[in-house]
């Protein structure tokens, strides 16, 4: 079955950096686009970044452009989210996502807290 496991969250001061990882299993990782979403307390889940399967084309929410970088390692079946210049408004639970055979799968999420 499809499984996504996120890691790398934690507490960081404003201006700091974190790298999130998501390791996948249960499907042919290299054949599928991957995405990171986030959900802040009391808000809806929002798309942060996507990366395509073959060309690794990336797209970002306007709120994170220039600060976050999504990447993938097909050999390790892992997608990453490098987050730099973090702001308090980046505080959220971050989720890894794949749409596999028309079904959305999610990890359990990893909490990122940006605070002084």
């Amino acid at each position: 079955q499809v499984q996504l496991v996120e890691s790398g969250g934690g507490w960081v001061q404003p201006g700091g950096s974190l790298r999130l990882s998501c390791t996948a299993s249960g499907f042919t990782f290299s054949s599928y686009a991957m995405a990171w979403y986030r959900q802040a307390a009391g808000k809806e889940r929002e798309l942060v970044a996507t990366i395509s399967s073959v060309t690794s084309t990336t797209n970002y929410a306007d709120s994170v452009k220039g600060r976050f970088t999504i990447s993938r390692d097909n050999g390790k079946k892992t997608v990453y989210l490098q987050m730099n210049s973090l702001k308090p408004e980046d505080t959220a639970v971050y989720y890894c996502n794949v749409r596999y055979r028309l079904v959305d799968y999610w990890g359990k999420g990893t909490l990122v807290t940006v605070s002084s």
Side-chain angles (χ1 to χ4, degrees):
Q1 70 277 23
V2 173
Q3 288 191 319
L4 302 170
V5 180
E6 302 98 336
S7 61
W11 174 83
V12 64
Q13 291 186 334
S17 298
L18 282 175
R19 189 177 83 153
L20 306 183
S21 300
C22 169
T23 301
S25 60
F27 64 101
T28 305
F29 180 79
S30 59
S31 297
Y32 289 85
M34 300 295 297
W36 284 98
Y37 285 73
R38 67 185 181 186
Q39 186 167 20
K43 295 188 177 182
E44 293 187 354
R45 193 170 296 189
E46 64 173 350
L47 179 62
V48 175
T50 63
I51 185 165
S52 67
S53 56
V54 176
T55 61
S56 292
T57 300
T58 59
N59 283 287
Y60 299 92
D62 287 344
S63 58
V64 307
K65 277 181 183 176
R67 300 188 298 122
F68 290 12
T69 302
I70 187 171
S71 61
R72 64 190 299 157
D73 184 330
N74 289 336
K76 294 182 178 180
K77 299 182 181 180
T78 300
V79 60
Y80 303 97
L81 187 67
Q82 177 67 45
M83 305 185 295
N84 299 328
S85 302
L86 282 161
K87 305 175 181 180
E89 51 262 43
D90 295 317
T91 295
V93 178
Y94 285 70
Y95 298 91
C96 183
N97 166 269
V98 64
R99 179 163 291 182
Y100 174 67
R101 295 184 178 176
L102 302 180
V103 176
D104 278 314
Y105 291 86
W106 303 90
K108 292 183 179 180
T110 185
L111 177 63
V112 172
T113 302
V114 185
S115 171
S116 55

